[in-house]
Structures are given as C-alpha cells and as structure tokens.
Amino acid sequence: MAATATKLEPRGRLSAADWEEAALATLAESGLGTVAVESLARRLGVTKGSFYWHFATREALIKAALERWEKSDEEIVVAQLDAIADPRERLRELFRRVSREMPSHVIYAALMQSLDHPLVRPVMARVSQRRLDVLSLAYRQAGLGRNEAGHRARLAYSAYTGFLQLSLQLGLQRLGHEDFEAYVDHVIATLVPA
Amino acid sequence: MAATATKLEPRGRLSAADWEEAALATLAESGLGTVAVESLARRLGVTKGSFYWHFATREALIKAALERWEKSDEEIVVAQLDAIADPRERLRELFRRVSREMPSHVIYAALMQSLDHPLVRPVMARVSQRRLDVLSLAYRQAGLGRNEAGHRARLAYSAYTGFLQLSLQLGLQRLGHEDFEAYVDHVIATLVPA
DNA sequence: TACATTCCATACGCTCGCGTATTGATTTCG
DNA sequence: CGAAATCAATACGCGAGCGTATGGAATGTA
C-alpha cells in the first residue's frame, strides 16, 4: 500500500550501470538534491556498503550518470534529425518531439534546475550549444541571415527550456493533450518561417 | 584584498528587514541554497544569536524575504506599465525592461532555480500567473483572438524565463550590450504583432 | 572442494547547518 | 538613575549525508 512505490528495479546483484540508472530515475522524479546514496540504496534494496564498492564517491556516480544521459541524449535528440532535408519541416518536427520522448526532456528539465553544481553546468552548456547549433543551422537553411538565424535559434531554445521549466517545475496549468497540440501549432506558426 | 567582498551592509543594530535584505542579496548572488543563517550572520557582522531573536527559523526568514520581494516586484513590473495605452508599444517596452532593472530579474531567476522548496513555488506561481495575464491581455488588445493571445503570452513568457535561465544560470555567451539590443529587437519583431 | 573475486551489511566517525539555552551588552524610558 | 526591553555572543545538542573500516555472504574457477 506504499503510496510512494519505491520500485526496486533490478533483482539480482547490482552493477555500476544499475546505480546510474537509478540515479537518473530519481533525478527525473525529484531532482538532483534527492540523489543521495543511502536513499538510492533503499530504492535498490541494498545498503551503502554496496554503493561504495561500485563508486568512490557520490560525485563519481553523478558524473557517470551525466555521461550516460548526455550520450543517449546526443543520439536521440540530434542524430535521427539530420535525416529531414527540408529545414522548415525539420524545425516543425523538432518542436513536436518535445511531446514525444518526454522522459529525456524530464531529465533535461531536472538538470536545468541544478545549474549550480560544477558537474552539471558544463554538461548542460555542451548540450545547449549543440541544440542551439542545430536550430541555428536549420534557420539558416530556411533562408534567414546569419544574425537572424542566431537570434531566432536563441529565442526558440529559450522558449523550449522556459516552457519545460514552467510546465514541469512550476506546474503551471498542466495543459491537456488537446491544448498542448494547439500550443505547439502556434509556436510553429510563430517561430518557423513560412 | 578579500576577493569575495562580503560587504557588511548596515552598521548599527539590526532589524528584521536588514536580514531580509541580506537574504535577498545573497539569494541573487548565489541562490537560495546559500542563504544560511550563519553565513548571513557573518555577512552582517554578527552571529546566529542575533538572527534567532528576529526570526524563529530559517524558513520564517525566507518567507518574509519572499513576501518583500513579491511586493516590490508587483509594483515595479506590473504597476507602472498599465500607463502605456497602445498594447503593441506596451509589449515592446515590456521586453526592453528585461535589460533595465536587472536586479529584480536576477532574484526572479534565482528563485526559478528553487522551484522545489514549498515556500518558493507558490510565490512564483502567482508571479508567473500575473505576468501571463498581463501579456495575454496585451495580446488580446493588440487584436489576437482569445486562444491565440493565450498561446502567444505563454510563448513570450517561456522565452523570457528561458532566456534568463540560459544567460544567468547557464552562462551561455553573455551576449554583450550590443548584441543584446539586437536580440531584443529580433524578439520584438518576432513576438509582437505588427 | 578450495580459494579468489565480487558484492553487500553493519558500525562507526566526521562535517555542516539548524535550532536552543544562557548570559551579556546596549538602548529606552519611567 | 535604574529597570525594562531590545539586540547580540557563546556554547551546546541534534539530525542528515558522506565516507571508512571491516567482516561476511555469494559467485566464479582451478
């Protein structure tokens, strides 16, 4: 009957990867601040003793989890997107992707709330720069000038990260599936050149 | 020669207001997490003993500081803005205000990084709702339909909060005074209907 | 089976920040 | 001036989390 169903994920012995996954899961649920070793241990059905065999320190775990996430994010968000030739359609698809594959965005949003923390900031700086570059390139290919494209990319990316913050962290009117579609359409109409 | 010039603000005895101001200053500088009573005490040139005479608990201080900020923010951002009759010009001025009066925006951005924390979230929810309403109204008066106005307001506000996060927290290319003006112009051109 | 490696539990120490208790100084004011 | 009220210093207790030490169980392997 435990309301907070602390789902213990793996059953047998644990590997470093298990801890990293658990860390990312907890991160997505309640932020980096709650990623504590004793808490994770309970979640996994073991104790600290286990953790410190796999990792030297809590920071080491965070570092590993971040690398794991950054890698998967790199593939998901960026890679399978270059396929779309038409830049305008690529932009539209990019905006739509925010709804699908939410899990990765949830972690993104959680990490953006921990931009203090020396390990997180550089990761998010790289991730953000990559996304900005993708956007900027698409806008250039869509016909905008160098400066225009840069500004529009920054605007679009700001809207993206801001929207996630308002929705997931602030919890501002959760915006049902219906209205969300309408909103995305409006964003596309406003930010994607005809 | 102390690099981190921990400026002790008031000289004589302290009042509750002094602690609140110091809390807001520290908040703006390094986030809510660093708003600790012993730290503030050092900053003010006293010790904990003083603090706990003025406040029952750290949370009480935060609560008071938040009320103080919300009040001042309410006046600055909202009040002296209804003056501008033309909604389009009002929107333009609104975007420009992000550059001036940075201090309040810095505190805003810092608080948006602490949306966990039970005292902060409701405050930011109210503040955000007010600003969204202001935007939405302006867009309606500018001729947009009910839904259009709501969506555009959300988009503009997302861009606002996202931009602050990217600039102040992530530190993404600090964007010199020159480029910043150009960016704001681009935003206005993109988000304010002709 | 024997032995090494891998994984985990228990118990402990340490630091940091909050909050309390107590005493002391400094105003304020009758 | 003397007493009350106001503001502050010192010392202490406490819980949360990290990290360490050490022994024990489980798994592989010769």
Side-chain angles (χ1 to χ4, degrees), chain B residues 70-145:
Chain B
E70 185 178 2
K71 186 166 296 180
S72 84
D73 183 79
E74 217 163 339
E75 297 165 359
I76 293 177
V77 175
V78 178
Q80 51 182 225
L81 201 77
D82 304 335
I84 308 168
D86 178 35
R88 275 167 286 271
E89 184 50 37
R90 198 188 316 148
L91 285 167
R92 293 190 203 97
E93 182 57 24
L94 212 146
F95 285 117
R96 283 192 244 276
R97 290 266 171 103
V98 180
S99 46
R100 262 79 69 183
E101 318 147 16
M102 257 303 181
S104 182
H105 292 289
V106 172
I107 294 181
Y108 169 90
L111 287 175
M112 286 298 280
Q113 291 301 117
S114 300
L115 288 180
D116 54 340
H117 201 299
L119 289 177
V120 172
R121 198 172 35 233
V123 171
M124 301 315 278
R126 281 194 301 274
V127 168
S128 294
Q129 194 55 61
R130 271 195 288 272
R131 295 184 180 188
L132 273 173
D133 291 344
V134 168
L135 282 167
S136 196
L137 175 64
Y139 277 122
R140 286 224 64 179
Q141 292 176 340
L144 272 63

Side-chain angles (χ1 to χ4, degrees), chain A residues 35-55:
Chain A
V35 177
V37 335
E38 273 144 317
S39 165
L40 285 177
R42 276 190 300 275
R43 181 197 188 104
L44 292 170
V46 294
T47 66
K48 305 167 44 140
S50 171
F51 177 84
Y52 285 100
W53 190 89
H54 295 284
F55 296 92

Side-chain angles (χ1 to χ4, degrees), chain B residues 1 11 14 58 61-62 103 115-116 132 137 147 159 161 172:
Chain B
M1 217 28 130
R11 263 296 149 223
L14 298 179
R58 173 180 182 265
L61 168 68
I62 292 175
L115 288 180
D116 54 340
L132 273 173
L137 175 64
N147 288 336
T161 198
L172 202 62

Side-chain angles (χ1 to χ4, degrees), chain A residues 44 55 59 70 88 94 108 118 131 146 166 173 180:
Chain A
L44 292 170
F55 296 92
E59 296 294 281
E70 185 178 1
R88 274 167 287 271
L94 211 146
Y108 170 89
R131 296 184 180 188
R146 178 152 180 64
L166 294 179
Q173 282 162 237
F180 182 70

Side-chain angles (χ1 to χ4, degrees), chain A residues 66 78 152 178:
Chain A
L66 285 175
V78 178
R152 183 64 64 85
E178 196 79 354

